Amino acid sequence: MKQYVNSNPFALQCAVIACTVVFLTAVPSIFGQTPVDGGTSQSIVTENYKIGPGDMIDVLVSNNEKLSRSGLKVSNRGTVQLAMIDTDFDAACLTERQLADAIKEKYRKFLVDPYVNVAVRESNSNPVAVLGAVNSPGRFQMQRSIRFVELMTFVNGTRADAGSTAEIFRSTGRPYCVDNRLVIPSEGGEELISVSIANALQGGEQNNPVIFAGDIVRVPVEDAMNAYIQGNVRSSSAISLKEPVTLTQAIAMAGGPSEGAQLEKVTIRRPIPGSLNREALSVNVKDITRGKRDDILLQPNDIIEVPGPSGVKKVFQDIIKTIVPTVTNLPLRVIR
């Protein structure tokens, strides 16, 4: 678990973000940007863009309509089906030029020195959503690597009522590229990353994390910090800490323990100030209900895990559903 700690005035956050937005607007050529309408989807794929699962591509073989293909969808395993090729062809993690060269070599058995061109028609493999107390919440397709602060410029910064910490919900089970090879994790879960907005604006790689494909970034309002409960409870959920909430209250707010819950082995994973890690607090909830120990007051971004017979397997899926019910209705934009 990662944590980025915080505490600088919000005025500094607004000023730095505003300056960055002005800079990006004034010199779009530096970043290869063009203005994007917030309600439409546009895409200009650069040579450095790596094709990924879900993308739609066109393959043009000059003077050969039989081998040319339009609207090929890259499969979840990163492959496409090409004319005259019996096996699925690896496309993910290659640029347009690299894939064109690889296809050209395959088609040399049919043609003398064929010319092959590959173009990405739709880029769908690097989605990011930003919501909460930001000025222009939306969905994005990333065409290149970005960090948290730059992402904030694309949503025109945080609102005046924004809290000091942003939350990144990240899936660890998404496929990713290692050089030109697609890696598909055998197992995956979810993690919560807390980012101090003020510290991120001050710079430094640890304070300003890289945004990954599939991330959901949420900026809560100032008085809406949450803890999260997951595992063997009736309903995994975000628990508002606007008013003080204890561990047993949080379990009750989640509908109580589900069948097989091991209440004597509950874990609270709590952020460590100034560290990228979390401390694990093991709690016997049965001792609390029996009066053998005091209840525990929850802190912002605590993650409560209630294990069952097979441990905690179901992580943030239900929580994310409660936090981001309108993600698909947000405007789609492209980060180039």
Side-chain angles (χ1 to χ4, degrees):
M1 267 309 167
K2 302 178 184 175
Q3 149 125 41
Y4 300 84
V5 190
N6 147 59
S7 71
N8 266 354
F10 182 79
L12 172 63
Q13 305 166 16
C14 291
V16 177
I17 287 180
C19 290
T20 308
V21 172
V22 171
F23 176 73
L24 289 173
T25 305
V27 286
S29 60
I30 294 178
F31 298 94
Q33 289 180 245
T34 55
V36 178
D37 181 354
T40 61
S41 172
Q42 301 184 35
S43 177
I44 300 175
V45 180
T46 65
E47 183 65 14
N48 292 328
Y49 176 76
K50 290 194 172 185
I51 296 166
D55 287 348
M56 299 283 287
I57 65 173
D58 295 334
V59 177
L60 173 64
V61 182
S62 60
N63 300 320
N64 197 307
E65 293 184 0
K66 291 183 178 180
L67 296 182
S68 297
R69 289 290 184 270
S70 296
L72 287 176
K73 184 175 182 179
V74 182
S75 73
N76 290 336
R77 304 196 67 82
T79 61
V80 292
Q81 294 182 334
L82 299 173
M84 305 296 291
I85 305 296
D86 294 335
T87 58
D88 290 344
F89 199 84
D90 291 331
C93 302
L94 300 175
T95 65
E96 294 169 316
R97 182 70 268 156
Q98 289 170 336
L99 180 57
D101 289 342
I103 295 174
K104 178 178 179 179
E105 289 302 313
K106 277 290 185 181
Y107 281 160
R108 284 187 185 278
K109 65 174 68 175
F110 308 116
L111 302 170
V112 177
D113 195 25
Y115 174 79
V116 178
N117 183 64
V118 172
V120 176
R121 175 182 291 192
E122 295 179 14
S123 57
N124 303 309
S125 58
N126 295 304
V128 172
V130 185
L131 66 163
V134 294
N135 290 308
S136 303
R139 294 178 296 139
F140 300 88
Q141 283 292 335
M142 296 189 300
Q143 303 278 334
R144 57 182 173 82
S145 176
I146 66 169
R147 290 183 178 271
F148 171 78
V149 169
E150 186 179 3
L151 180 61
M152 289 296 99
T153 69
F154 284 94
V155 294
N156 296 316
T158 56
R159 298 195 317 240
D161 62 344
S164 57
T165 303
E167 302 163 338
I168 301 176
F169 296 88
R170 176 169 296 168
S171 170
T172 59
R174 290 182 64 89
Y176 60 93
C177 292
V178 175
D179 297 325
N180 295 333
R181 181 173 61 89
L182 184 69
V183 177
I184 303 176
S186 57
E187 294 184 2
E190 309 285 339
E191 67 174 329
L192 171 67
I193 302 172
S194 300
V195 182
S196 161
I197 298 174
N199 287 355
L201 289 168
Q202 289 180 351
E205 292 185 359
Q206 287 192 339
N207 294 328
N208 185 22
V210 172
I211 300 300
F212 290 1
D215 281 356
I216 298 173
V217 181
R218 176 176 178 264
V219 180
V221 296
E222 191 168 10
D223 61 352
M225 296 305 297
N226 299 312
Y228 303 90
I229 186 167
Q230 62 183 18
N232 284 262
V233 290
R234 300 292 180 185
S235 177
S236 298
S237 59
I239 305 294
S240 173
L241 300 184
K242 184 176 181 180
E243 300 292 338
V245 177
T246 65
L247 173 59
T248 56
Q249 286 175 329
I251 294 174
M253 293 166 71
S258 58
E259 184 178 355
Q262 298 180 8
L263 293 178
E264 68 278 9
K265 297 181 180 180
V266 172
T267 299
I268 300 175
R269 289 192 287 126
R270 176 164 292 173
I272 302 174
S275 172
L276 300 179
N277 301 312
R278 289 174 177 259
E279 63 176 331
L281 308 176
S282 182
V283 183
N284 187 334
V285 174
K286 291 183 178 180
D287 283 348
I288 297 176
T289 58
R290 292 166 182 161
K292 293 183 177 181
R293 66 164 295 172
D294 292 336
D295 210 342
I296 296 177
L297 191 65
L298 298 181
Q299 297 180 10
N301 290 316
D302 278 354
I303 299 174
I304 305 158
E305 298 176 342
V306 181
S310 58
V312 177
K313 294 298 184 183
K314 184 178 71 170
V315 285
F316 285 110
Q317 294 178 357
D318 290 343
I319 297 175
I320 291 176
K321 288 179 183 178
T322 65
I323 291 176
V324 291
T326 60
V327 164
T328 55
N329 295 325
L330 293 175
L332 176 62
R333 286 166 272 175
V334 178
I335 297 176
R336 294 188 275 276

